[in-house]
Amino acid sequence: MKITKDIIESHGLKLDEYSKIKQLLDREPNYLELGIFSAMWNEHCSYKSSKVHLKKLPVKNKNVIQGPGENAGVIDIGDDDAIVFKIESHNHPSFIEPYQGAATGVGGILRDVFTMGARPIALLNSIHFGSPDNKKTKNLLNGVVSGIGGYGNCIGIPTVAGETKFNSTYNENILVNAMAVGLANKKKIFYSKAKGLNKAVVYVGSKTGRDGIHGASMASAEFDENSEDKKPTVQVGDPFTEKLLMEACLELMQKESIISIQDMGAAGLTSSSVEMAHKGNLGIELNLDKIPCREENMSPYEMMLSESQERMLIILEDGKEDEARAIFKKWDLDFVIIGKTTETKNLSLRFKTKIVATIPIDALSSKAPLYDRKWSKKKLSKKKTNIKDLKKINFDEAFFKILSSPNHSNKRWVTEQYDQMVMGDTIERSGANAAVIKIHNKDKAIAVTVDSSANYCKSHPLSGGKQIVSESWRNLISVGAKPIAITNCLNFGNPENPEVMGEFAENILGVKEACEFLDYPVVSGNVSFYNGTNNNNIFPTPVIGGVGLIKNLKKIQNHRFKKIDSKILIIGKTFGHLGQSVLINEMYNLNDGMPPDVNLLNERNNGEMVLKLINEGIINSVHDISTGGIILALAEMSLSSQIGIKILKPKKLSNMFEYFFGEDQSRYIVEVDKNNYSKIEKLLEDNNIYFENIGVTQKDHFELDKDLKTSVKELYEMNNKWYNNFNGPIS
């Protein structure tokens, strides 16, 4: 087949990239080779537009065992225990086919974790949809939530936390980010680096079909009016097979058999074989006649680019083939030796006795294009948002509207479709500051959370990057965990647009600054570009997945008020920042002004003090203050406990709206028993931590001086109103 301009462009390659391919091969590629280059050189696999910026991120601290570059990150949590975790996107597939797109996103991230030798113990997700008024939103939401629940529930891994958000920026490009967390023995971590010559390369798992071909390339291009015709590029998942594959792999990992292991994710057999060979500075020869196929007459092109799910590639030690085969046979899975490692440093493919492709491994990996794309610095808003400049509104009207809005209403309809308690180790789940999972048969736990803030990042990408890392930090602190490390999923628009690339570059700098200051490194992650349709790019939406350690189960804290007549303290200073706030967005449909400033010194000092108070056992409950300000955080504490509050106006208060709806950072709400108040007061004063005593808990009512009075029951009804109307009553 003659390679034409149209064929090149249909593979997502630029003409200058095609010229580079010819130069690297010293000849024209054939159609199969072109497909392989297309798969390995797209954004999803090569990170060609992001790598120059990602290198700036901190990736190490004393707890990090494995940082970026493997299937998942690994951190040490003591006692030879390690936590393996990663977050990835499945945005484009989920928009085209919501159920399977979301389901296979869960399946893929689970494989990334158990490929490292970890048993998955928790799933999380961050899902973003368009406006609820958009005609597509309801079906997309229903499909995605069903897909996440359908896969996770079937495989038996609890989905313990997440976020569901709505914004018109996602009308034509939803975001579906899935995170998985696993537990491993730190002395038995498995890697993808190939070692040794003439070692058996083994295909295990499901058979190969025609689903998912060009999936990775599709995820590296913007949507257009023909996007829904791309359903064949969406993979089809089978959670029951995934469960078998997981158990078989974990059983084999107990033997001394595996040299390296890699799941077949994006770009399927192509990426798995190339990545293994590249890391080991070796070649790989594959006999495609031996690939287990579930469809007839599959071509080498289809076999190499299929993204059929539930498949792995393993390199075995000599003489271990029979032992490994017996394990996979027991689990009723395919086990086929399809090739070997070589010294050629080439990917060599044989089909029907002929060599059908020969490509240097480095041409597909280290010599792939790397772009330092032009980018423009964000023009910052000079407008200062002040409630006095806005149309007069009632305080209670604003509060009730926010509490019953799509983004802040009760999301039980979503979370109750997920099994949150399977495995029996979930202590805190969706709705808390962070989820908490007990380490089985140990007196310790991990805390996990996912967070994003697109409005902040759109307004000021650098500040937004710092803010979202800090919010993740506060969420972990609030349950009594010491934050250790993060994974990130960076969802942005078209990187060829200098404004979008500027958003990305500045956001990375913000994430870098916060991670370095808080000793909270990035150990894994994913970049998702080209999120947009017809040049309408989404708001920059970095999602941060945080993991922290709780060394003593007795020190776990939560955001539920515990008793009547406790004192309520605000730790951290309130300035009343309303720029980019929930208040002006919900009441005026505005995204005005700058996001709140992030003082990382205050963030660290206030967080460490709250953690100290938790560990000393002298506070009853704690909640971080983020979007929606003090008032929304108080409402969440009341709703979760069915205990009311009585708040008095602070003496220095200049404006009720600014104080209670302001989104200043580095703040916590703490419930304190009156008997412990003097001790806490002294600790805070001795450590120069700013705090305010703003009121007490009470039995039934939610009161803010004379400006707001309602019952906790009415609060609950208001908080459930929108979701009940949108998707039917919650049973």
Side-chain angles (χ1 to χ4, degrees):
M1 179 186 293
K2 182 173 176 58
I3 306 297
T4 65
K5 178 176 179 268
D6 287 346
I7 289 174
I8 294 167
E9 291 177 348
S10 72
H11 281 75
L13 293 165
K14 309 290 188 190
L15 293 180
D16 62 333
E17 291 176 335
Y18 183 69
S19 296
K20 184 173 181 177
I21 290 170
K22 292 194 295 182
Q23 183 183 6
L24 288 168
L25 293 177
D26 199 27
R27 58 178 173 81
E28 295 269 354
N30 61 38
Y31 189 70
L32 169 60
E33 292 169 332
L34 182 72
I36 290 171
F37 271 103
S38 166
M40 293 305 300
W41 282 18
N42 65 56
E43 291 285 354
H44 194 85
C45 294
S46 73
Y47 293 85
K48 60 187 177 185
S49 297
S50 58
K51 193 175 287 185
V52 66
H53 299 283
L54 295 175
K55 288 179 179 179
K56 300 172 185 176
L57 294 172
V59 297
K60 295 179 180 178
N61 68 10
K62 66 179 182 180
N63 293 95
V64 175
I65 296 172
Q66 175 65 50
E70 269 293 341
N71 289 293
V74 187
I75 57 173
D76 188 344
I77 61 167
D79 309 311
D80 286 339
D81 294 322
I83 294 297
V84 180
F85 64 106
K86 187 182 183 183
I87 189 169
E88 275 203 342
S89 63
H90 230 220
N91 303 335
H92 289 63
S94 299
F95 183 77
I96 295 168
E97 212 301 295
Y99 184 96
Q100 289 295 350
T104 53
V106 173
I109 198 65
L110 283 171
R111 288 194 300 280
D112 281 339
V113 166
F114 71 74
T115 299
M116 302 288 293
R119 178 170 292 281
I121 59 173
L123 288 162
L124 302 89
N125 56 75
S126 174
I127 51 181
H128 292 69
F129 300 91
S131 167
D133 299 328
N134 184 278
K135 63 182 182 180
K136 295 180 180 179
T137 295
K138 189 169 184 176
N139 285 336
L140 288 167
L141 173 67
N142 288 336
V144 166
V145 171
S146 295
I148 291 171
Y151 206 100
N153 295 352
C154 287
I155 202 171
I157 310 297
T159 301
V160 297
E163 56 177 11
T164 303
K165 295 186 175 183
F166 302 89
N167 190 303
S168 60
T169 189
Y170 311 110
N171 278 351
E172 300 299 326
N173 196 124
I174 65 173
L175 302 182
V176 177
N177 294 179
M179 177 176 169
V181 182
L183 177 66
N185 184 317
K186 73 176 185 181
K187 297 177 181 178
K188 292 186 177 181
I189 304 298
F190 290 81
Y191 300 95
S192 56
K193 180 180 178 180
K195 296 178 184 177
L197 295 177
N198 297 311
K199 302 296 183 182
V201 178
V202 184
Y203 174 119
V204 300
S206 281
K207 289 180 168 56
T208 296
R210 291 187 170 94
D211 56 314
I213 294 172
H214 289 305
S217 298
M218 179 264 296
S220 300
E222 283 189 341
F223 284 139
D224 57 32
E225 59 276 0
N226 300 313
S227 293
E228 293 190 5
D229 296 335
K230 296 179 179 179
K231 284 192 176 183
T233 64
V234 179
Q235 311 92 328
V236 178
D238 179 358
F240 300 103
T241 301
E242 179 108 336
K243 171 68 172 174
L244 299 177
L245 180 63
M246 178 177 73
E247 297 299 342
C249 288
L250 292 175
E251 183 175 340
L252 182 60
M253 287 167 173
Q254 300 306 308
K255 314 291 185 181
E256 301 295 325
S257 304
I258 297 175
I259 295 174
S260 63
I261 181 169
Q262 177 73 45
D263 84 292
M264 296 190 213
L269 186 55
T270 290
S271 63
S272 56
S273 56
V274 170
E275 287 172 14
M276 294 171 89
H278 169 63
K279 290 173 182 176
N281 197 29
L282 293 169
I284 279 188
E285 181 180 300
L286 302 178
N287 183 350
L288 302 185
D289 296 311
K290 295 186 176 182
I291 302 294
C293 296
R294 64 170 181 259
E295 299 183 49
E296 294 183 356
N297 301 316
M298 288 189 67
S299 68
Y301 184 97
E302 292 169 325
M303 290 183 222
M304 290 302 296
L305 298 184
S306 167
E307 295 183 9
S308 294
Q309 299 291 284
E310 295 87 38
R311 303 179 299 159
M312 293 280 193
L313 205 61
I314 301 175
I315 297 177
L316 289 175
E317 295 281 7
D318 293 338
K320 299 293 184 177
E321 295 88 351
D322 290 344
E323 179 182 56
R325 183 182 289 108
I327 290 172
F328 283 88
K329 183 179 180 180
K330 182 182 78 172
W331 291 101
D332 198 25
L333 295 166
D334 280 306
F335 177 101
V336 184
I337 298 172
I338 63 169
K340 63 181 181 180
T341 59
T342 69
E343 61 182 358
T344 63
K345 300 182 183 180
N346 292 330
L347 174 67
S348 180
L349 306 179
R350 186 178 297 274
F351 183 65
K352 294 183 178 179
T353 73
K354 295 182 179 179
I355 298 292
V356 292
T358 303
I359 307 173
I361 293 291
D362 62 1
L364 297 168
S365 51
S366 58
K367 293 183 179 178
L370 184 63
Y371 299 126
D372 188 0
R373 296 193 184 275
K374 291 182 180 178
W375 60 276
S376 58
K377 198 172 181 67
K378 182 75 175 182
K379 293 181 181 178
L380 304 180
S381 173
K382 295 180 181 179
K383 185 174 181 178
K384 183 176 179 359
T385 304
N386 191 310
I387 199 68
K388 295 175 183 177
D389 301 328
L390 304 175
K391 181 182 175 183
K392 180 75 175 171
I393 55 173
N394 293 324
F395 188 91
D396 57 353
E397 175 194 357
F399 173 60
F400 290 139
K401 185 173 180 179
I402 290 170
L403 195 65
S404 59
S405 68
N407 281 317
H408 300 100
S409 64
N410 191 326
K411 296 190 175 60
R412 281 176 52 208
W413 178 87
V414 172
T415 60
E416 290 187 355
Q417 292 191 55
Y418 310 145
D419 191 334
Q420 302 174 66
M421 303 303 292
V422 64
M423 300 179 76
D425 289 321
T426 306
I427 297 174
E428 293 288 337
R429 49 183 171 164
S430 295
N433 297 293
V436 178
I437 304 99
K438 179 184 176 184
I439 302 301
H440 201 64
N441 293 326
K442 302 280 181 75
D443 188 35
K444 63 183 179 184
I446 59 164
V448 290
T449 182
V450 288
D451 300 281
S452 64
S453 186
N455 280 0
Y456 288 177
C457 292
K458 180 65 178 176
S459 170
H460 191 203
L462 191 146
S463 292
K466 289 196 288 185
Q467 185 275 332
I468 201 60
V469 172
S470 299
E471 184 173 344
S472 172
W473 162 275
R474 289 198 300 276
N475 280 331
L476 296 176
I477 291 281
S478 297
V479 296
K482 178 174 174 47
I484 295 178
I486 68 170
T487 181
N488 59 14
C489 193
L490 306 175
N491 306 278
F492 286 77
N494 189 336
E496 298 167 55
N497 180 324
E499 183 179 328
V500 171
M501 204 62 222
E503 291 171 346
F504 182 84
E506 290 192 272
N507 192 259
I508 288 289
L509 292 176
V511 171
K512 169 184 181 292
E513 187 177 341
C515 287
E516 285 180 340
F517 197 89
L518 299 173
D519 191 25
Y520 195 35
V522 182
V523 297
S524 60
N526 169 232
V527 177
S528 177
F529 278 134
Y530 296 99
N531 289 291
T533 298
N534 293 328
N535 295 316
N536 292 319
N537 296 293
I538 66 163
F539 283 7
T541 313
V543 176
I544 302 296
V547 178
L549 176 64
I550 302 170
K551 292 184 178 181
N552 186 341
L553 295 178
K554 294 178 181 178
K555 304 300 183 181
I556 295 170
Q557 191 52 269
N558 59 52
H559 70 309
R560 296 182 288 278
F561 288 133
K562 301 301 186 299
K563 58 194 298 187
I564 308 300
D565 207 30
S566 300
K567 289 182 179 289
I568 300 172
L569 307 186
I570 305 292
I571 292 179
K573 196 163 187 176
T574 298
F575 298 96
H577 185 94
L578 291 177
Q580 298 297 325
S581 67
V582 169
L583 177 70
I584 65 166
N585 179 252
E586 293 289 349
M587 299 308 295
Y588 302 101
N589 197 29
L590 295 174
N591 292 310
D592 281 357
M594 290 280 287
D597 181 55
V598 181
N599 185 315
L600 291 170
L601 180 62
N602 287 345
E603 197 70 66
R604 186 178 66 192
N605 290 346
N606 292 353
E608 289 177 349
M609 175 52 64
V610 170
L611 193 58
K612 179 179 176 65
L613 297 177
I614 293 172
N615 286 329
E616 292 196 10
I618 54 176
I619 58 175
N620 296 347
S621 64
V622 59
H623 194 3
D624 78 300
I625 301 172
S626 55
T627 53
I630 292 171
I631 185 69
L632 198 62
L634 286 170
E636 290 169 350
M637 296 176 84
S638 276
L639 286 166
S640 63
S641 62
Q642 295 296 293
I643 292 175
I645 60 169
K646 186 176 181 62
I647 304 298
L648 299 175
K649 290 181 181 179
K651 294 177 180 179
K652 298 180 180 179
L653 177 67
S654 58
N655 185 294
M656 280 283 289
F657 290 93
E658 290 175 347
Y659 186 85
F660 285 106
F661 288 102
E663 297 183 5
D664 308 288
Q665 302 293 289
S666 314
R667 296 180 300 159
Y668 301 80
I669 298 175
V670 175
E671 178 197 2
V672 177
D673 193 291
K674 287 184 175 181
N675 295 330
N676 290 323
Y677 180 73
S678 59
K679 182 178 180 181
I680 291 171
E681 183 180 42
K682 187 174 187 309
L683 267 170
L684 295 172
E685 289 175 348
D686 288 349
N687 287 276
N688 295 314
I689 302 295
Y690 186 90
F691 73 99
E692 293 176 304
N693 179 3
I694 65 166
V696 295
T697 57
Q698 63 178 4
K699 188 175 180 182
D700 296 316
H701 282 80
F702 192 91
E703 296 181 72
L704 269 66
D705 212 288
K706 299 175 182 177
D707 294 89
L708 174 65
K709 184 174 181 179
T710 186
S711 69
V712 176
K713 182 181 178 182
E714 289 171 326
L715 213 63
Y716 179 84
E717 290 171 352
M718 191 68 64
N719 192 230
N720 281 277
K721 185 170 140 181
W722 182 81
Y723 250 75
N724 283 0
N725 293 337
F726 187 69
N727 262 307
I730 301 169
S731 61

